[in-house]
Structure formats: C-alpha cells, structure tokens
Amino acid sequence: MMKVAFQGERGAFSEEAARKIINRPIKPVACGSFEKVFKMVTTGKVDRGVVPIENSLIGSIHQNYDLLMEHHLNVIAETQLRIVHCLIAPPGVSLKNIKKVYSHPAALDQCRSFFKKHP
C-alpha cells in the first residue's frame, strides 16, 4: 500500500486530496508541517507527498513553491478539491450566542466573508 504524507491531522483536507489523487487505498502519514512532508518524500520514508499549491481564496502557497525548489522534487499530478468548512458548537447553542471561533489561521481566513456577515 502506498504511503502518502500530507500536512495536518488525519481527516485534513490534504488527506482527502491525497485519497482523491492517488485513487486507490493509501496509508496516510500526517505531518506537522509542509517541511516535514517534503523531508519524508526526499528521505524515502513515504512514497508520495501531497501539498496545496494554490488556494482560490488566499492565493498561492509560496512556502510550498519554495520547498519544491529546495528539495528538487517534481509535481507529478494535480487535483482540485472543493473546501467546505463547518462551524460546530455544543447542542442547543445558536449562531447568535457564539462569541469566539478557534481554528487554523488559513481556515479562518477562508471563512472571512462568513464572519463579516456574522460578526
């Protein structure tokens, strides 16, 4: 089974992209940083790495362009993934009662239009 590294925790959008692009069963390997994904690939600890390159809301992921050059790796495939974020709260809590939202900075940035409508 192909081992595929991605940045984030199990269930991250990058894991979903890895499953979509490989299109067969994989052994997902969660990494704490994009740098670790690249190191796992270049050292042969995984067969492939999947990282985001472009984001339609926040633009290019410049760090990953730099890491591609630094590690002398090539892009061999690409996919597009529609990202859908969900706001979760304990049962019975309404949207008007929510005062703070905690998430990854990129996810918060991707939801900025929602937060403008619902400050």
Side-chain angles (χ1 to χ4, degrees):
M1 186 174 304
M2 185 180 291
K3 294 196 304 188
V4 183
F6 63 93
Q7 186 276 325
E9 299 295 326
R10 291 291 314 271
F13 292 119
S14 289
E15 180 182 357
E16 185 178 346
R19 291 181 185 284
K20 181 179 176 185
I21 200 165
I22 302 299
N23 198 25
R24 62 179 173 164
I26 64 168
K27 180 176 181 185
V29 179
C31 297
S33 68
F34 293 129
E35 175 68 36
K36 177 133 189 214
V37 172
F38 282 85
K39 284 186 179 180
M40 296 286 282
V41 174
T42 57
T43 60
K45 292 183 179 169
V46 297
D47 303 297
R48 301 281 188 273
V50 173
V51 295
I53 296 294
E54 296 289 331
N55 180 297
S56 62
L57 292 177
I58 61 174
S60 297
I61 313 298
H62 298 287
Q63 179 183 9
N64 288 336
Y65 281 105
D66 294 341
L67 288 165
L68 277 169
M69 297 288 289
E70 180 182 327
H71 291 273
H72 307 289
L73 295 173
N74 297 313
V75 175
I76 60 170
E78 69 176 305
T79 191
Q80 293 183 358
L81 186 67
R82 184 170 187 266
I83 304 300
V84 178
H85 293 287
C86 297
L87 180 62
I88 60 172
V93 173
S94 69
L95 185 59
K96 66 182 179 183
N97 294 337
I98 296 173
K99 303 297 181 212
K100 285 187 178 182
V101 175
Y102 297 93
S103 187
H104 189 279
L108 292 171
D109 196 32
Q110 291 169 351
C111 296
R112 66 180 168 260
S113 64
F114 174 84
F115 292 123
K116 282 182 185 177
K117 292 177 188 171
H118 308 281

